Amino acid sequence: MPLIKKKFAIPRIIYFFIPIIIIIFLFTFLSTNAVEISSIEFIGEATLPKGLIFQKTEVGGLSGISYDLKNNLYYAISDDRGQKANARFYTLKIDLSKGYLQKNGIIPVSVTTLLNQNGQTFRPGESDTEGIALTNKATVFISSEGDTGKLINPFIKEFSLSSGREIVTLPIPNKFLPDKTSQQGIRNNLAFESLTITPDKKHLFTATENALIQDGVAAKPNIGSPCRILQYNLLNNQPEKEFLYQTESVTPFLNLIGKFASGLPDLLALDNQGHFLSLERSFTGLGFAISLFQVSLEGADDIHQIDSLLAVDSKNIKPVQKKLLLDLRNIDVLLDNIEGLTLGPKLPDGQQSLILISDNNFNSLQRTQVLAFKIKIENPLIRLLRRLLPNLNR
């Protein structure tokens, strides 16, 4: 009998390790694989009145937006270069309590003037603020495109949420800075439109709206542009990685006026492993083309040591991965100049909301438009179960 018991004691050790192996496998899978948006549904549009004056400022130029979960508020940055009022951001309420956005569901709450480190307002033309991202320290990071014609550098600065005063300035790598020869750096009005921070608040990302001069051409009809995503480590406030993002080529439709613009105006971090939503916006001569993409940095090459993509064989560089989530031309809405996006609150049915906002360019023919969507974010465990159990969807 003792010999028989010993023979059956060996498998018990295996049974002990099986749960451990499963836990290790699931932990590895969950920590390395992307969240994935499996569905998106349009749930409403709201607009602000044209020429709206709020607290002695004209509300407009809203180019970026960031959601404050704790207070259920939104912070929207204006790209006014000091022509209408001082550089500023607005605090907004957007009502999704019924599970959709009503036409009057957006309300301005307050306006915060941006101040430099000396407590003074920015001079007219000194800033072109485009992106905004909320931290967990009652502050916001704000990006500015600068002005290449006046050799005003772009910036990414941290400001107090309450006072609007500048706290920190992040260093910008030299390759992004314009110079007198116009042979390198950002293109005018095609620089740091986007800004986003990972959920763990450890990394900040921005991107050029179009290619740096030394990286390739700006977007043209039927030609995309190679943008750079720039990653910062917020533990030391230093830039650490860069990635190639190729915008889609867009075909104009009845472009009688001859104007065309296309690029990458915003990014939104979905997790801490390099997975995003990206917003691509094009003016095609007859309205706007707006697309949402799911983006992954997985497998993409770090190009921060490459000063010029034109000086190397860029065909050997692996760009970020992209997958089209939604072409907004397929929803029944007259699109305006959508430039910003943020996750909003959970909706009454438990699904996640997504908010997009437009820059009206202070143009009487345009609107400050807010679009709301319901998205289903599928976590890695559910996707794993669907792979293992194909009939789970049925």
mmCIF file of all heavy atoms in Angstrom, residues 88-128:
data_model
loop_
_atom_site.group_PDB
_atom_site.id
_atom_site.type_symbol
_atom_site.label_atom_id
_atom_site.label_comp_id
_atom_site.label_asym_id
_atom_site.label_seq_id
_atom_site.Cartn_x
_atom_site.Cartn_y
_atom_site.Cartn_z
ATOM 1 N N ARG A 88 -6.152 80.768 -22.751
ATOM 2 C CA ARG A 88 -7.078 80.330 -21.712
ATOM 3 C C ARG A 88 -7.618 78.931 -22.002
ATOM 4 O O ARG A 88 -7.533 78.436 -23.118
ATOM 5 C CB ARG A 88 -8.260 81.299 -21.638
ATOM 6 C CG ARG A 88 -9.080 81.363 -22.934
ATOM 7 C CD ARG A 88 -9.913 82.626 -23.022
ATOM 8 N NE ARG A 88 -10.703 82.707 -24.265
ATOM 9 C CZ ARG A 88 -10.211 83.131 -25.425
ATOM 10 N NH1 ARG A 88 -8.946 83.479 -25.532
ATOM 11 N NH2 ARG A 88 -10.992 83.181 -26.498
ATOM 12 N N PHE A 89 -8.173 78.330 -20.932
ATOM 13 C CA PHE A 89 -8.958 77.120 -21.124
ATOM 14 C C PHE A 89 -10.293 77.274 -20.405
ATOM 15 O O PHE A 89 -10.425 78.062 -19.463
ATOM 16 C CB PHE A 89 -8.218 75.852 -20.677
ATOM 17 C CG PHE A 89 -7.958 75.741 -19.196
ATOM 18 C CD1 PHE A 89 -8.909 75.208 -18.333
ATOM 19 C CD2 PHE A 89 -6.740 76.138 -18.653
ATOM 20 C CE1 PHE A 89 -8.667 75.078 -16.972
ATOM 21 C CE2 PHE A 89 -6.479 76.020 -17.291
ATOM 22 C CZ PHE A 89 -7.445 75.484 -16.452
ATOM 23 N N TYR A 90 -11.275 76.521 -20.888
ATOM 24 C CA TYR A 90 -12.628 76.587 -20.340
ATOM 25 C C TYR A 90 -12.944 75.316 -19.564
ATOM 26 O O TYR A 90 -12.489 74.220 -19.912
ATOM 27 C CB TYR A 90 -13.654 76.757 -21.466
ATOM 28 C CG TYR A 90 -13.582 78.099 -22.149
ATOM 29 C CD1 TYR A 90 -12.762 78.287 -23.262
ATOM 30 C CD2 TYR A 90 -14.319 79.182 -21.677
ATOM 31 C CE1 TYR A 90 -12.680 79.521 -23.891
ATOM 32 C CE2 TYR A 90 -14.242 80.426 -22.303
ATOM 33 C CZ TYR A 90 -13.420 80.588 -23.394
ATOM 34 O OH TYR A 90 -13.337 81.814 -24.001
ATOM 35 N N THR A 91 -13.736 75.475 -18.517
ATOM 36 C CA THR A 91 -14.315 74.338 -17.811
ATOM 37 C C THR A 91 -15.746 74.183 -18.285
ATOM 38 O O THR A 91 -16.516 75.152 -18.300
ATOM 39 C CB THR A 91 -14.279 74.546 -16.289
ATOM 40 O OG1 THR A 91 -12.921 74.745 -15.873
ATOM 41 C CG2 THR A 91 -14.851 73.348 -15.561
ATOM 42 N N LEU A 92 -16.098 72.960 -18.706
ATOM 43 C CA LEU A 92 -17.414 72.697 -19.291
ATOM 44 C C LEU A 92 -18.126 71.568 -18.550
ATOM 45 O O LEU A 92 -17.485 70.685 -17.970
ATOM 46 C CB LEU A 92 -17.266 72.283 -20.757
ATOM 47 C CG LEU A 92 -16.456 73.171 -21.693
ATOM 48 C CD1 LEU A 92 -16.286 72.483 -23.044
ATOM 49 C CD2 LEU A 92 -17.119 74.533 -21.864
ATOM 50 N N LYS A 93 -19.452 71.622 -18.585
ATOM 51 C CA LYS A 93 -20.277 70.490 -18.194
ATOM 52 C C LYS A 93 -20.907 69.911 -19.459
ATOM 53 O O LYS A 93 -21.430 70.660 -20.285
ATOM 54 C CB LYS A 93 -21.384 70.918 -17.225
ATOM 55 C CG LYS A 93 -20.924 71.170 -15.806
ATOM 56 C CD LYS A 93 -22.110 71.462 -14.894
ATOM 57 C CE LYS A 93 -21.649 71.661 -13.453
ATOM 58 N NZ LYS A 93 -22.810 71.962 -12.550
ATOM 59 N N ILE A 94 -20.841 68.599 -19.601
ATOM 60 C CA ILE A 94 -21.475 67.913 -20.725
ATOM 61 C C ILE A 94 -22.369 66.829 -20.135
ATOM 62 O O ILE A 94 -21.886 65.910 -19.471
ATOM 63 C CB ILE A 94 -20.423 67.315 -21.684
ATOM 64 C CG1 ILE A 94 -19.536 68.437 -22.254
ATOM 65 C CG2 ILE A 94 -21.096 66.542 -22.813
ATOM 66 C CD1 ILE A 94 -18.400 67.947 -23.125
ATOM 67 N N ASP A 95 -23.654 66.939 -20.356
ATOM 68 C CA ASP A 95 -24.637 66.081 -19.690
ATOM 69 C C ASP A 95 -24.903 64.806 -20.496
ATOM 70 O O ASP A 95 -25.487 64.847 -21.576
ATOM 71 C CB ASP A 95 -25.939 66.863 -19.507
ATOM 72 C CG ASP A 95 -26.979 66.082 -18.699
ATOM 73 O OD1 ASP A 95 -26.636 65.001 -18.182
ATOM 74 O OD2 ASP A 95 -28.121 66.561 -18.602
ATOM 75 N N LEU A 96 -24.452 63.690 -19.924
ATOM 76 C CA LEU A 96 -24.708 62.377 -20.518
ATOM 77 C C LEU A 96 -25.535 61.502 -19.580
ATOM 78 O O LEU A 96 -25.559 60.281 -19.719
ATOM 79 C CB LEU A 96 -23.382 61.679 -20.835
ATOM 80 C CG LEU A 96 -22.475 62.358 -21.873
ATOM 81 C CD1 LEU A 96 -21.144 61.619 -21.963
ATOM 82 C CD2 LEU A 96 -23.143 62.414 -23.235
ATOM 83 N N SER A 97 -26.219 62.126 -18.628
ATOM 84 C CA SER A 97 -26.912 61.383 -17.583
ATOM 85 C C SER A 97 -28.045 60.504 -18.119
ATOM 86 O O SER A 97 -28.420 59.520 -17.487
ATOM 87 C CB SER A 97 -27.469 62.351 -16.528
ATOM 88 O OG SER A 97 -28.379 63.275 -17.113
ATOM 89 N N LYS A 98 -28.587 60.868 -19.280
ATOM 90 C CA LYS A 98 -29.668 60.071 -19.870
ATOM 91 C C LYS A 98 -29.146 58.989 -20.818
ATOM 92 O O LYS A 98 -29.935 58.279 -21.438
ATOM 93 C CB LYS A 98 -30.644 60.987 -20.611
ATOM 94 C CG LYS A 98 -31.383 61.945 -19.689
ATOM 95 C CD LYS A 98 -32.390 62.791 -20.459
ATOM 96 C CE LYS A 98 -33.153 63.730 -19.531
ATOM 97 N NZ LYS A 98 -34.152 64.565 -20.268
ATOM 98 N N GLY A 99 -27.823 58.900 -20.924
ATOM 99 C CA GLY A 99 -27.248 57.893 -21.805
ATOM 100 C C GLY A 99 -27.007 58.390 -23.213
ATOM 101 O O GLY A 99 -26.553 57.631 -24.063
ATOM 102 N N TYR A 100 -27.307 59.669 -23.451
ATOM 103 C CA TYR A 100 -27.053 60.273 -24.751
ATOM 104 C C TYR A 100 -26.846 61.769 -24.542
ATOM 105 O O TYR A 100 -27.094 62.307 -23.452
ATOM 106 C CB TYR A 100 -28.205 60.013 -25.726
ATOM 107 C CG TYR A 100 -29.544 60.559 -25.263
ATOM 108 C CD1 TYR A 100 -29.957 61.842 -25.606
ATOM 109 C CD2 TYR A 100 -30.391 59.776 -24.477
ATOM 110 C CE1 TYR A 100 -31.183 62.347 -25.180
ATOM 111 C CE2 TYR A 100 -31.617 60.272 -24.045
ATOM 112 C CZ TYR A 100 -32.005 61.554 -24.403
ATOM 113 O OH TYR A 100 -33.202 62.051 -23.973
ATOM 114 N N LEU A 101 -26.383 62.452 -25.587
ATOM 115 C CA LEU A 101 -26.109 63.885 -25.513
ATOM 116 C C LEU A 101 -27.225 64.658 -26.200
ATOM 117 O O LEU A 101 -27.505 64.437 -27.384
ATOM 118 C CB LEU A 101 -24.768 64.198 -26.173
ATOM 119 C CG LEU A 101 -24.342 65.672 -26.234
ATOM 120 C CD1 LEU A 101 -24.193 66.250 -24.832
ATOM 121 C CD2 LEU A 101 -23.037 65.809 -27.014
ATOM 122 N N GLN A 102 -27.861 65.571 -25.445
ATOM 123 C CA GLN A 102 -28.907 66.414 -26.022
ATOM 124 C C GLN A 102 -28.282 67.635 -26.693
ATOM 125 O O GLN A 102 -27.145 68.008 -26.407
ATOM 126 C CB GLN A 102 -29.883 66.853 -24.934
ATOM 127 C CG GLN A 102 -30.674 65.697 -24.327
ATOM 128 C CD GLN A 102 -31.601 66.169 -23.223
ATOM 129 O OE1 GLN A 102 -31.156 66.683 -22.201
ATOM 130 N NE2 GLN A 102 -32.902 65.997 -23.435
ATOM 131 N N LYS A 103 -29.063 68.295 -27.546
ATOM 132 C CA LYS A 103 -28.542 69.418 -28.319
ATOM 133 C C LYS A 103 -28.068 70.573 -27.446
ATOM 134 O O LYS A 103 -27.190 71.335 -27.839
ATOM 135 C CB LYS A 103 -29.602 69.900 -29.309
ATOM 136 C CG LYS A 103 -29.869 68.910 -30.441
ATOM 137 C CD LYS A 103 -30.851 69.466 -31.446
ATOM 138 C CE LYS A 103 -31.069 68.469 -32.596
ATOM 139 N NZ LYS A 103 -32.026 68.987 -33.601
ATOM 140 N N ASN A 104 -28.657 70.719 -26.270
ATOM 141 C CA ASN A 104 -28.241 71.781 -25.342
ATOM 142 C C ASN A 104 -27.462 71.222 -24.160
ATOM 143 O O ASN A 104 -27.456 71.811 -23.075
ATOM 144 C CB ASN A 104 -29.466 72.545 -24.837
ATOM 145 C CG ASN A 104 -30.456 71.634 -24.115
ATOM 146 O OD1 ASN A 104 -30.309 70.410 -24.131
ATOM 147 N ND2 ASN A 104 -31.451 72.226 -23.486
ATOM 148 N N GLY A 105 -26.808 70.090 -24.375
ATOM 149 C CA GLY A 105 -26.178 69.377 -23.263
ATOM 150 C C GLY A 105 -24.773 69.821 -22.901
ATOM 151 O O GLY A 105 -24.074 69.125 -22.173
ATOM 152 N N ILE A 106 -24.310 70.968 -23.408
ATOM 153 C CA ILE A 106 -22.976 71.472 -23.067
ATOM 154 C C ILE A 106 -23.117 72.881 -22.486
ATOM 155 O O ILE A 106 -23.786 73.737 -23.073
ATOM 156 C CB ILE A 106 -22.049 71.462 -24.302
ATOM 157 C CG1 ILE A 106 -20.713 72.138 -23.985
ATOM 158 C CG2 ILE A 106 -22.693 72.087 -25.507
ATOM 159 C CD1 ILE A 106 -19.689 72.004 -25.081
ATOM 160 N N ILE A 107 -22.492 73.093 -21.320
ATOM 161 C CA ILE A 107 -22.622 74.366 -20.608
ATOM 162 C C ILE A 107 -21.243 74.829 -20.129
ATOM 163 O O ILE A 107 -20.552 74.088 -19.424
ATOM 164 C CB ILE A 107 -23.548 74.225 -19.383
ATOM 165 C CG1 ILE A 107 -24.933 73.740 -19.808
ATOM 166 C CG2 ILE A 107 -23.652 75.554 -18.626
ATOM 167 C CD1 ILE A 107 -25.832 73.410 -18.632
ATOM 168 N N PRO A 108 -20.800 76.051 -20.480
ATOM 169 C CA PRO A 108 -19.565 76.600 -19.911
ATOM 170 C C PRO A 108 -19.745 76.883 -18.418
ATOM 171 O O PRO A 108 -20.797 77.374 -18.001
ATOM 172 C CB PRO A 108 -19.350 77.895 -20.700
ATOM 173 C CG PRO A 108 -20.208 77.768 -21.917
ATOM 174 C CD PRO A 108 -21.375 76.935 -21.512
ATOM 175 N N VAL A 109 -18.727 76.562 -17.640
ATOM 176 C CA VAL A 109 -18.769 76.759 -16.191
ATOM 177 C C VAL A 109 -17.837 77.881 -15.755
ATOM 178 O O VAL A 109 -18.195 78.730 -14.946
ATOM 179 C CB VAL A 109 -18.410 75.454 -15.450
ATOM 180 C CG1 VAL A 109 -18.338 75.682 -13.939
ATOM 181 C CG2 VAL A 109 -19.407 74.360 -15.782
ATOM 182 N N SER A 110 -16.618 77.894 -16.308
ATOM 183 C CA SER A 110 -15.647 78.923 -15.946
ATOM 184 C C SER A 110 -14.579 79.022 -17.022
ATOM 185 O O SER A 110 -14.481 78.157 -17.900
ATOM 186 C CB SER A 110 -14.997 78.611 -14.587
ATOM 187 O OG SER A 110 -14.239 77.411 -14.662
ATOM 188 N N VAL A 111 -13.794 80.071 -16.958
ATOM 189 C CA VAL A 111 -12.662 80.254 -17.859
ATOM 190 C C VAL A 111 -11.437 80.552 -17.018
ATOM 191 O O VAL A 111 -11.506 81.302 -16.033
ATOM 192 C CB VAL A 111 -12.930 81.381 -18.886
ATOM 193 C CG1 VAL A 111 -13.227 82.704 -18.202
ATOM 194 C CG2 VAL A 111 -11.767 81.530 -19.849
ATOM 195 N N THR A 112 -10.311 79.937 -17.365
ATOM 196 C CA THR A 112 -9.054 80.109 -16.628
ATOM 197 C C THR A 112 -8.007 80.688 -17.559
ATOM 198 O O THR A 112 -7.701 80.091 -18.595
ATOM 199 C CB THR A 112 -8.559 78.772 -16.055
ATOM 200 O OG1 THR A 112 -9.581 78.194 -15.231
ATOM 201 C CG2 THR A 112 -7.289 78.967 -15.230
ATOM 202 N N THR A 113 -7.465 81.848 -17.203
ATOM 203 C CA THR A 113 -6.421 82.494 -17.994
ATOM 204 C C THR A 113 -5.076 81.860 -17.680
ATOM 205 O O THR A 113 -4.748 81.631 -16.510
ATOM 206 C CB THR A 113 -6.369 84.004 -17.689
ATOM 207 O OG1 THR A 113 -7.623 84.586 -18.024
ATOM 208 C CG2 THR A 113 -5.266 84.688 -18.483
ATOM 209 N N LEU A 114 -4.276 81.579 -18.715
ATOM 210 C CA LEU A 114 -2.954 81.003 -18.526
ATOM 211 C C LEU A 114 -1.950 82.103 -18.186
ATOM 212 O O LEU A 114 -1.936 83.162 -18.820
ATOM 213 C CB LEU A 114 -2.505 80.263 -19.785
ATOM 214 C CG LEU A 114 -3.384 79.080 -20.219
ATOM 215 C CD1 LEU A 114 -2.790 78.424 -21.457
ATOM 216 C CD2 LEU A 114 -3.533 78.064 -19.095
ATOM 217 N N LEU A 115 -1.116 81.818 -17.196
ATOM 218 C CA LEU A 115 -0.088 82.755 -16.755
ATOM 219 C C LEU A 115 1.273 82.094 -16.846
ATOM 220 O O LEU A 115 1.407 80.885 -16.611
ATOM 221 C CB LEU A 115 -0.337 83.180 -15.300
ATOM 222 C CG LEU A 115 -1.726 83.766 -14.990
ATOM 223 C CD1 LEU A 115 -1.871 84.001 -13.489
ATOM 224 C CD2 LEU A 115 -1.947 85.056 -15.758
ATOM 225 N N ASN A 116 2.297 82.868 -17.197
ATOM 226 C CA ASN A 116 3.648 82.303 -17.249
ATOM 227 C C ASN A 116 4.232 82.195 -15.840
ATOM 228 O O ASN A 116 3.544 82.484 -14.841
ATOM 229 C CB ASN A 116 4.546 83.129 -18.181
ATOM 230 C CG ASN A 116 4.724 84.565 -17.700
ATOM 231 O OD1 ASN A 116 4.542 84.894 -16.520
ATOM 232 N ND2 ASN A 116 5.076 85.453 -18.625
ATOM 233 N N GLN A 117 5.503 81.790 -15.753
ATOM 234 C CA GLN A 117 6.121 81.580 -14.440
ATOM 235 C C GLN A 117 6.196 82.865 -13.625
ATOM 236 O O GLN A 117 6.287 82.823 -12.398
ATOM 237 C CB GLN A 117 7.520 80.984 -14.610
ATOM 238 C CG GLN A 117 7.496 79.508 -15.017
ATOM 239 C CD GLN A 117 8.882 78.901 -15.046
ATOM 240 O OE1 GLN A 117 9.838 79.525 -15.481
ATOM 241 N NE2 GLN A 117 9.008 77.661 -14.579
ATOM 242 N N ASN A 118 6.146 84.001 -14.289
ATOM 243 C CA ASN A 118 6.177 85.288 -13.586
ATOM 244 C C ASN A 118 4.789 85.773 -13.203
ATOM 245 O O ASN A 118 4.630 86.884 -12.689
ATOM 246 C CB ASN A 118 6.860 86.342 -14.463
ATOM 247 C CG ASN A 118 8.311 85.994 -14.766
ATOM 248 O OD1 ASN A 118 9.019 85.457 -13.907
ATOM 249 N ND2 ASN A 118 8.745 86.265 -15.986
ATOM 250 N N GLY A 119 3.782 84.955 -13.488
ATOM 251 C CA GLY A 119 2.420 85.329 -13.150
ATOM 252 C C GLY A 119 1.792 86.301 -14.126
ATOM 253 O O GLY A 119 0.761 86.911 -13.828
ATOM 254 N N GLN A 120 2.388 86.432 -15.310
ATOM 255 C CA GLN A 120 1.885 87.357 -16.320
ATOM 256 C C GLN A 120 1.196 86.588 -17.439
ATOM 257 O O GLN A 120 1.515 85.425 -17.703
ATOM 258 C CB GLN A 120 3.030 88.195 -16.895
ATOM 259 C CG GLN A 120 3.752 89.038 -15.850
ATOM 260 C CD GLN A 120 4.969 89.746 -16.430
ATOM 261 O OE1 GLN A 120 5.571 89.272 -17.396
ATOM 262 N NE2 GLN A 120 5.334 90.880 -15.837
ATOM 263 N N THR A 121 0.261 87.233 -18.119
ATOM 264 C CA THR A 121 -0.400 86.609 -19.259
ATOM 265 C C THR A 121 0.580 86.497 -20.427
ATOM 266 O O THR A 121 1.558 87.244 -20.512
ATOM 267 C CB THR A 121 -1.624 87.432 -19.696
ATOM 268 O OG1 THR A 121 -1.195 88.761 -20.024
ATOM 269 C CG2 THR A 121 -2.662 87.485 -18.582
ATOM 270 N N PHE A 122 0.314 85.559 -21.326
ATOM 271 C CA PHE A 122 1.143 85.399 -22.517
ATOM 272 C C PHE A 122 0.838 86.533 -23.497
ATOM 273 O O PHE A 122 -0.310 86.924 -23.676
ATOM 274 C CB PHE A 122 0.880 84.038 -23.170
ATOM 275 C CG PHE A 122 1.434 82.878 -22.393
ATOM 276 C CD1 PHE A 122 0.697 82.297 -21.365
ATOM 277 C CD2 PHE A 122 2.693 82.376 -22.673
ATOM 278 C CE1 PHE A 122 1.201 81.234 -20.633
ATOM 279 C CE2 PHE A 122 3.223 81.313 -21.947
ATOM 280 C CZ PHE A 122 2.471 80.741 -20.922
ATOM 281 N N ARG A 123 1.886 87.040 -24.112
ATOM 282 C CA ARG A 123 1.711 88.117 -25.077
ATOM 283 C C ARG A 123 0.989 87.597 -26.323
ATOM 284 O O ARG A 123 1.126 86.424 -26.682
ATOM 285 C CB ARG A 123 3.068 88.710 -25.483
ATOM 286 C CG ARG A 123 3.832 89.349 -24.338
ATOM 287 C CD ARG A 123 5.085 90.066 -24.848
ATOM 288 N NE ARG A 123 5.951 89.159 -25.594
ATOM 289 C CZ ARG A 123 6.891 88.387 -25.038
ATOM 290 N NH1 ARG A 123 7.060 88.404 -23.732
ATOM 291 N NH2 ARG A 123 7.639 87.607 -25.779
ATOM 292 N N PRO A 124 0.240 88.461 -27.017
ATOM 293 C CA PRO A 124 -0.416 88.027 -28.261
ATOM 294 C C PRO A 124 0.589 87.437 -29.247
ATOM 295 O O PRO A 124 1.652 88.016 -29.482
ATOM 296 C CB PRO A 124 -1.018 89.336 -28.799
ATOM 297 C CG PRO A 124 -1.266 90.154 -27.575
ATOM 298 C CD PRO A 124 -0.116 89.846 -26.655
ATOM 299 N N GLY A 125 0.273 86.261 -29.773
ATOM 300 C CA GLY A 125 1.154 85.578 -30.720
ATOM 301 C C GLY A 125 2.229 84.728 -30.075
ATOM 302 O O GLY A 125 2.920 83.976 -30.761
ATOM 303 N N GLU A 126 2.373 84.812 -28.758
ATOM 304 C CA GLU A 126 3.432 84.062 -28.066
ATOM 305 C C GLU A 126 3.087 82.586 -27.937
ATOM 306 O O GLU A 126 3.970 81.737 -27.809
ATOM 307 C CB GLU A 126 3.671 84.671 -26.685
ATOM 308 C CG GLU A 126 4.854 84.083 -25.921
ATOM 309 C CD GLU A 126 5.062 84.735 -24.566
ATOM 310 O OE1 GLU A 126 4.248 85.596 -24.183
ATOM 311 O OE2 GLU A 126 6.052 84.397 -23.887
ATOM 312 N N SER A 127 1.806 82.270 -27.959
ATOM 313 C CA SER A 127 1.381 80.882 -27.806
ATOM 314 C C SER A 127 0.306 80.544 -28.832
ATOM 315 O O SER A 127 -0.411 81.422 -29.321
ATOM 316 C CB SER A 127 0.834 80.633 -26.394
ATOM 317 O OG SER A 127 -0.357 81.374 -26.192
ATOM 318 N N ASP A 128 0.220 79.260 -29.141
ATOM 319 C CA ASP A 128 -0.846 78.723 -29.982
ATOM 320 C C ASP A 128 -1.272 77.410 -29.342
ATOM 321 O O ASP A 128 -0.914 76.322 -29.788
ATOM 322 C CB ASP A 128 -0.355 78.515 -31.413
ATOM 323 C CG ASP A 128 -1.447 77.958 -32.330
ATOM 324 O OD1 ASP A 128 -2.629 77.996 -31.928
ATOM 325 O OD2 ASP A 128 -1.114 77.468 -33.422
#
